[in-house]
Short mmCIF file of all heavy atoms in Angstrom, two decimals:
data_model
loop_
_atom_site.label_atom_id
_atom_site.label_comp_id
_atom_site.label_asym_id
_atom_site.label_seq_id
_atom_site.Cartn_x
_atom_site.Cartn_y
_atom_site.Cartn_z
N LEU A 1 11.34 14.18 -33.14
CA LEU A 1 12.15 14.70 -32.08
C LEU A 1 11.59 14.42 -30.70
O LEU A 1 12.32 14.01 -29.79
CB LEU A 1 12.35 16.22 -32.32
CG LEU A 1 13.29 16.93 -31.30
CD1 LEU A 1 14.66 16.30 -31.28
CD2 LEU A 1 13.35 18.42 -31.61
N PRO A 2 10.29 14.65 -30.45
CA PRO A 2 9.75 14.33 -29.10
C PRO A 2 9.94 12.87 -28.69
O PRO A 2 10.29 12.57 -27.56
CB PRO A 2 8.27 14.69 -29.21
CG PRO A 2 8.13 15.53 -30.42
CD PRO A 2 9.22 15.18 -31.33
N SER A 3 9.70 11.94 -29.65
CA SER A 3 9.88 10.51 -29.37
C SER A 3 11.28 10.24 -28.89
O SER A 3 11.49 9.49 -27.91
CB SER A 3 9.56 9.69 -30.62
OG SER A 3 8.26 9.85 -31.03
N ALA A 4 12.29 10.76 -29.58
CA ALA A 4 13.69 10.49 -29.21
C ALA A 4 14.02 11.08 -27.87
O ALA A 4 14.66 10.43 -27.03
CB ALA A 4 14.62 11.07 -30.33
N LEU A 5 13.66 12.34 -27.65
CA LEU A 5 13.98 12.98 -26.38
C LEU A 5 13.34 12.28 -25.20
O LEU A 5 13.99 12.09 -24.15
CB LEU A 5 13.55 14.46 -26.43
CG LEU A 5 14.28 15.39 -27.36
CD1 LEU A 5 13.66 16.74 -27.44
CD2 LEU A 5 15.77 15.50 -26.97
N LEU A 6 12.08 11.87 -25.33
CA LEU A 6 11.40 11.23 -24.24
C LEU A 6 11.96 9.85 -23.93
O LEU A 6 12.15 9.47 -22.77
CB LEU A 6 9.90 11.12 -24.54
CG LEU A 6 9.11 12.41 -24.48
CD1 LEU A 6 7.70 12.22 -24.96
CD2 LEU A 6 9.09 12.97 -23.06
N VAL A 7 12.24 9.05 -24.98
CA VAL A 7 12.69 7.69 -24.71
C VAL A 7 14.11 7.68 -24.11
O VAL A 7 14.43 6.86 -23.25
CB VAL A 7 12.63 6.83 -26.01
CG1 VAL A 7 13.75 7.14 -26.98
CG2 VAL A 7 12.66 5.34 -25.65
N LEU A 8 14.97 8.61 -24.57
CA LEU A 8 16.33 8.65 -24.03
C LEU A 8 16.37 9.23 -22.63
O LEU A 8 17.33 9.02 -21.91
CB LEU A 8 17.22 9.45 -25.00
CG LEU A 8 17.49 8.81 -26.36
CD1 LEU A 8 18.31 9.75 -27.23
CD2 LEU A 8 18.18 7.47 -26.19
N PHE A 9 15.35 9.97 -22.25
CA PHE A 9 15.28 10.45 -20.88
C PHE A 9 14.71 9.39 -19.93
O PHE A 9 15.27 9.12 -18.86
CB PHE A 9 14.41 11.74 -20.79
CG PHE A 9 14.07 12.15 -19.40
CD1 PHE A 9 15.08 12.68 -18.59
CD2 PHE A 9 12.82 11.96 -18.85
CE1 PHE A 9 14.77 13.04 -17.28
CE2 PHE A 9 12.53 12.34 -17.54
CZ PHE A 9 13.53 12.88 -16.75
N PHE A 10 13.60 8.82 -20.32
CA PHE A 10 12.90 7.92 -19.38
C PHE A 10 13.50 6.53 -19.29
O PHE A 10 13.36 5.88 -18.26
CB PHE A 10 11.39 7.80 -19.79
CG PHE A 10 10.58 8.96 -19.36
CD1 PHE A 10 10.10 9.87 -20.27
CD2 PHE A 10 10.28 9.14 -18.00
CE1 PHE A 10 9.33 10.94 -19.86
CE2 PHE A 10 9.50 10.24 -17.60
CZ PHE A 10 9.04 11.13 -18.52
N PHE A 11 14.20 6.06 -20.35
CA PHE A 11 14.73 4.69 -20.26
C PHE A 11 15.75 4.50 -19.17
O PHE A 11 15.68 3.48 -18.47
CB PHE A 11 15.29 4.25 -21.63
CG PHE A 11 15.74 2.82 -21.63
CD1 PHE A 11 14.84 1.77 -21.58
CD2 PHE A 11 17.12 2.50 -21.62
CE1 PHE A 11 15.24 0.44 -21.52
CE2 PHE A 11 17.54 1.19 -21.56
CZ PHE A 11 16.61 0.16 -21.52
N PRO A 12 16.73 5.38 -19.00
CA PRO A 12 17.67 5.20 -17.85
C PRO A 12 16.93 5.15 -16.52
O PRO A 12 17.34 4.43 -15.63
CB PRO A 12 18.59 6.40 -17.96
CG PRO A 12 18.56 6.79 -19.39
CD PRO A 12 17.14 6.54 -19.81
N ILE A 13 15.87 5.95 -16.38
CA ILE A 13 15.10 5.92 -15.12
C ILE A 13 14.49 4.54 -14.96
O ILE A 13 14.55 3.94 -13.86
CB ILE A 13 14.03 7.02 -15.12
CG1 ILE A 13 14.67 8.40 -15.17
CG2 ILE A 13 13.09 6.89 -13.92
CD1 ILE A 13 13.69 9.56 -15.29
N TRP A 14 13.87 4.03 -16.03
CA TRP A 14 13.26 2.69 -15.99
C TRP A 14 14.29 1.63 -15.66
O TRP A 14 14.08 0.76 -14.85
CB TRP A 14 12.57 2.43 -17.32
CG TRP A 14 12.16 1.00 -17.56
CD1 TRP A 14 12.81 0.05 -18.26
CD2 TRP A 14 10.93 0.39 -17.08
NE1 TRP A 14 12.14 -1.12 -18.23
CE2 TRP A 14 11.00 -0.94 -17.51
CE3 TRP A 14 9.89 0.83 -16.31
CZ2 TRP A 14 9.95 -1.85 -17.26
CZ3 TRP A 14 8.87 -0.06 -16.05
CH2 TRP A 14 8.90 -1.40 -16.51
N ASN A 15 15.44 1.71 -16.30
CA ASN A 15 16.50 0.75 -16.11
C ASN A 15 17.01 0.73 -14.67
O ASN A 15 17.21 -0.33 -14.07
CB ASN A 15 17.66 1.06 -17.04
CG ASN A 15 18.72 -0.05 -17.02
OD1 ASN A 15 18.54 -1.08 -17.59
ND2 ASN A 15 19.82 0.27 -16.40
N ASN A 16 17.15 1.91 -14.06
CA ASN A 16 17.62 2.01 -12.66
C ASN A 16 16.57 1.55 -11.68
O ASN A 16 16.89 1.11 -10.60
CB ASN A 16 18.03 3.45 -12.36
CG ASN A 16 19.24 3.91 -13.20
OD1 ASN A 16 19.95 3.10 -13.74
ND2 ASN A 16 19.41 5.21 -13.30
N MET A 17 15.28 1.67 -12.06
CA MET A 17 14.20 1.27 -11.17
C MET A 17 14.01 -0.24 -11.06
O MET A 17 13.31 -0.72 -10.19
CB MET A 17 12.91 1.96 -11.56
CG MET A 17 12.90 3.46 -11.26
SD MET A 17 11.38 4.27 -11.88
CE MET A 17 10.16 3.43 -10.88
N LYS A 18 14.61 -0.99 -12.03
CA LYS A 18 14.37 -2.42 -12.06
C LYS A 18 14.93 -3.18 -10.86
O LYS A 18 14.59 -4.33 -10.63
CB LYS A 18 14.92 -3.03 -13.36
CG LYS A 18 14.06 -2.71 -14.60
CD LYS A 18 14.45 -3.53 -15.80
CE LYS A 18 15.86 -3.22 -16.26
NZ LYS A 18 16.20 -3.94 -17.51
N LYS A 19 15.82 -2.47 -10.11
CA LYS A 19 16.37 -3.15 -8.91
C LYS A 19 15.36 -3.21 -7.77
O LYS A 19 15.50 -3.93 -6.81
CB LYS A 19 17.62 -2.41 -8.44
CG LYS A 19 17.36 -0.95 -8.01
CD LYS A 19 18.68 -0.29 -7.61
CE LYS A 19 18.44 1.15 -7.14
NZ LYS A 19 19.69 1.88 -6.82
N TYR A 20 14.27 -2.47 -7.92
CA TYR A 20 13.23 -2.47 -6.90
C TYR A 20 12.24 -3.61 -7.17
O TYR A 20 11.86 -3.85 -8.32
CB TYR A 20 12.49 -1.14 -6.84
CG TYR A 20 13.37 0.04 -6.48
CD1 TYR A 20 13.80 0.95 -7.41
CD2 TYR A 20 13.90 0.17 -5.20
CE1 TYR A 20 14.61 2.01 -7.11
CE2 TYR A 20 14.72 1.26 -4.85
CZ TYR A 20 15.09 2.13 -5.79
OH TYR A 20 15.92 3.19 -5.49
N ALA A 21 11.79 -4.23 -6.14
CA ALA A 21 10.94 -5.43 -6.27
C ALA A 21 9.68 -5.14 -7.06
O ALA A 21 9.27 -5.92 -7.93
CB ALA A 21 10.57 -5.98 -4.88
N ALA A 22 9.02 -4.00 -6.77
CA ALA A 22 7.75 -3.71 -7.43
C ALA A 22 7.94 -3.57 -8.96
O ALA A 22 7.07 -4.07 -9.74
CB ALA A 22 7.19 -2.37 -6.88
N VAL A 23 9.00 -2.95 -9.38
CA VAL A 23 9.26 -2.77 -10.79
C VAL A 23 9.66 -4.09 -11.43
O VAL A 23 9.16 -4.46 -12.52
CB VAL A 23 10.32 -1.71 -11.05
CG1 VAL A 23 10.67 -1.58 -12.54
CG2 VAL A 23 9.87 -0.35 -10.50
N TYR A 24 10.54 -4.86 -10.77
CA TYR A 24 11.00 -6.11 -11.34
C TYR A 24 9.83 -7.09 -11.51
O TYR A 24 9.69 -7.76 -12.54
CB TYR A 24 12.09 -6.76 -10.46
CG TYR A 24 12.65 -8.02 -11.07
CD1 TYR A 24 13.65 -7.98 -11.98
CD2 TYR A 24 12.13 -9.25 -10.68
CE1 TYR A 24 14.17 -9.14 -12.56
CE2 TYR A 24 12.64 -10.44 -11.23
CZ TYR A 24 13.64 -10.34 -12.15
OH TYR A 24 14.15 -11.49 -12.74
N ARG A 25 9.01 -7.18 -10.48
CA ARG A 25 7.84 -8.10 -10.55
C ARG A 25 6.87 -7.68 -11.65
O ARG A 25 6.20 -8.51 -12.24
CB ARG A 25 7.16 -8.18 -9.21
CG ARG A 25 7.93 -8.93 -8.14
CD ARG A 25 7.31 -8.76 -6.76
NE ARG A 25 8.07 -9.46 -5.75
CZ ARG A 25 8.03 -9.19 -4.47
NH1 ARG A 25 7.24 -8.21 -4.04
NH2 ARG A 25 8.77 -9.87 -3.59
N SER A 26 6.79 -6.39 -11.90
CA SER A 26 5.85 -5.92 -12.92
C SER A 26 6.22 -6.42 -14.30
O SER A 26 5.37 -6.55 -15.19
CB SER A 26 5.77 -4.40 -12.92
OG SER A 26 6.97 -3.83 -13.43
N LEU A 27 7.52 -6.71 -14.52
CA LEU A 27 7.97 -7.13 -15.86
C LEU A 27 7.31 -8.45 -16.27
O LEU A 27 7.06 -8.65 -17.45
CB LEU A 27 9.52 -7.30 -15.88
CG LEU A 27 10.31 -6.02 -15.74
CD1 LEU A 27 11.79 -6.34 -15.67
CD2 LEU A 27 10.06 -5.12 -16.98
N GLU A 28 7.04 -9.33 -15.32
CA GLU A 28 6.40 -10.60 -15.61
C GLU A 28 5.01 -10.37 -16.26
O GLU A 28 4.69 -10.96 -17.27
CB GLU A 28 6.26 -11.43 -14.34
CG GLU A 28 5.68 -12.84 -14.64
CD GLU A 28 5.51 -13.65 -13.32
OE1 GLU A 28 5.28 -13.03 -12.27
OE2 GLU A 28 5.57 -14.90 -13.40
N GLY A 29 4.23 -9.47 -15.65
CA GLY A 29 2.94 -9.13 -16.20
C GLY A 29 3.00 -8.38 -17.49
O GLY A 29 2.19 -8.60 -18.41
N ILE A 30 3.95 -7.44 -17.56
CA ILE A 30 4.09 -6.62 -18.78
C ILE A 30 4.46 -7.52 -20.00
O ILE A 30 3.83 -7.36 -21.05
CB ILE A 30 5.15 -5.51 -18.54
CG1 ILE A 30 4.64 -4.48 -17.59
CG2 ILE A 30 5.55 -4.91 -19.89
CD1 ILE A 30 5.67 -3.45 -17.13
#
């Protein structure tokens, strides 16, 4: 249950943040 609640909460935040340069550039290194 904790895994599901956390991933479904944080993923939309992560997805929305990809429009920012710092987050988008980090994907190359990740």
Side-chain angles (χ1 to χ4, degrees):
L1 184 58
S3 297
L5 292 174
L6 287 172
V7 76
L8 292 176
F9 169 72
F10 281 108
F11 184 70
I13 296 176
W14 168 262
N15 188 75
N16 295 343
M17 288 175 64
K18 286 192 294 185
K19 64 183 179 181
Y20 298 107
V23 175
Y24 184 83
R25 288 170 181 159
S26 71
L27 291 175
E28 184 181 29
I30 290 171

